[in-house]
Amino acid sequence: MTQTEGAVWGPGAQVLPRSQSDDGINRMVRQMHGLRTLNIGQCVRITDKGLELIAEHLSQLTGIDLYGCTRITKRGLERITQLPCLKVLNLGLWQMTDSEKVR
């Protein structure tokens, strides 16, 4: 898996509006099972719940942009990184809190 800053997404990618929430993710994942790349960068309302939904329903995902998704935690990232086809993960502006750091 490659972590990229400013990833470029090709044809067939889904870019969601910045106002997207976990509820919007819930509706989207139930309709787009074959989605390969997803850009939810700067969607500051997305939480670990949204990442869980993505991981459950979008098993073919090869790339996801989480740039600026400031409400996600290590728990959500651990779930996303278990996607079997994931090759590209953009985590720009994401910071791990002290309580999440591996000791």
Side-chain angles (χ1 to χ4, degrees), residues 4-9 65 67 90:
T4 64
E5 183 123 5
V8 177
W9 303 98
D65 185 342
Y67 179 90
N90 181 6

Side-chain angles (χ1 to χ4, degrees), residues 4 8 11 18 20-21 23-25 30 36 39 42 60 65 68 79 88 93:
T4 64
V8 177
R18 290 183 182 176
Q20 193 62 262
S21 66
D23 289 335
I25 292 289
R30 295 176 190 285
R36 302 293 238 166
N39 182 340
Q42 299 293 327
Q60 299 302 308
D65 185 342
R79 186 65 175 98
V88 177
L93 296 182

Side-chain angles (χ1 to χ4, degrees), residues 12-95:
Q14 179 69 34
V15 179
L16 300 180
R18 290 183 182 176
S19 61
Q20 193 62 262
S21 66
D22 292 337
D23 289 335
I25 292 289
N26 188 31
R27 288 188 298 277
M28 185 266 308
V29 298
R30 295 176 190 285
Q31 299 172 358
M32 306 183 89
H33 295 282
L35 192 65
R36 302 293 238 166
T37 58
L38 177 62
N39 182 340
I40 54 175
Q42 299 293 327
C43 292
V44 296
R45 295 173 58 201
I46 301 292
T47 68
D48 291 341
K49 178 183 175 188
L51 295 185
E52 179 74 27
L53 289 164
I54 291 166
E56 282 178 25
H57 296 279
L58 300 179
S59 62
Q60 299 302 308
L61 209 60
T62 60
I64 187 166
D65 185 342
L66 300 174
Y67 179 90
C69 294
T70 55
R71 294 183 63 198
I72 60 176
T73 69
K74 181 180 170 186
R75 189 181 117 238
L77 291 176
E78 286 172 346
R79 186 65 175 98
I80 281 293
T81 57
Q82 292 174 3
L83 284 166
C85 300
L86 193 66
K87 292 181 171 58
V88 177
L89 173 62
N90 181 6
L91 294 175
L93 296 182
W94 183 79
Q95 294 183 6

